[in-house]
Amino acid sequence: MNAQEPAPTRRGLSTPEELLTVPQVMARLQLGRSAVYDLLRTGQLASITLGRARRIPAHSLTDFIRARLEQEAA
């Protein structure tokens, strides 16, 4: 890889990972705060903690939705 090529990331993109707040996830899933925190607590939705702030990588939300769709189809 030469100096002009962007470094690859987990998904092969050259942009940094988008991190969502709990309220953003609440809006996207149309769920309440307790339901989102239950998903985080049970490990169904992955997150990271930055200081006291909880952030959900956008790919984690996408993976969660995909897994639920596959579960419903089975």
Side-chain angles (χ1 to χ4, degrees):
M1 176 161 66
N2 65 35
Q4 284 125 356
E5 289 182 49
T9 61
R10 179 178 183 268
R11 299 266 179 194
L13 304 174
S14 60
T15 58
E17 183 68 53
E18 181 183 9
L19 297 175
L20 304 171
T21 64
V22 169
Q24 288 172 321
V25 173
M26 289 168 52
R28 290 183 186 197
L29 294 177
Q30 297 182 0
L31 292 174
R33 179 177 298 276
S34 296
V36 172
Y37 276 107
D38 283 344
L39 293 172
L40 295 170
R41 182 180 48 77
T42 60
Q44 296 178 66
L45 189 57
S47 69
I48 61 170
T49 304
L50 301 171
R52 293 181 60 190
R54 183 70 68 116
R55 296 292 181 263
I56 298 92
H59 75 83
S60 293
L61 182 58
T62 303
D63 292 347
F64 168 76
I65 294 168
R66 185 176 295 117
R68 291 300 295 255
L69 287 171
E70 290 172 0
Q71 214 174 33
E72 296 282 327

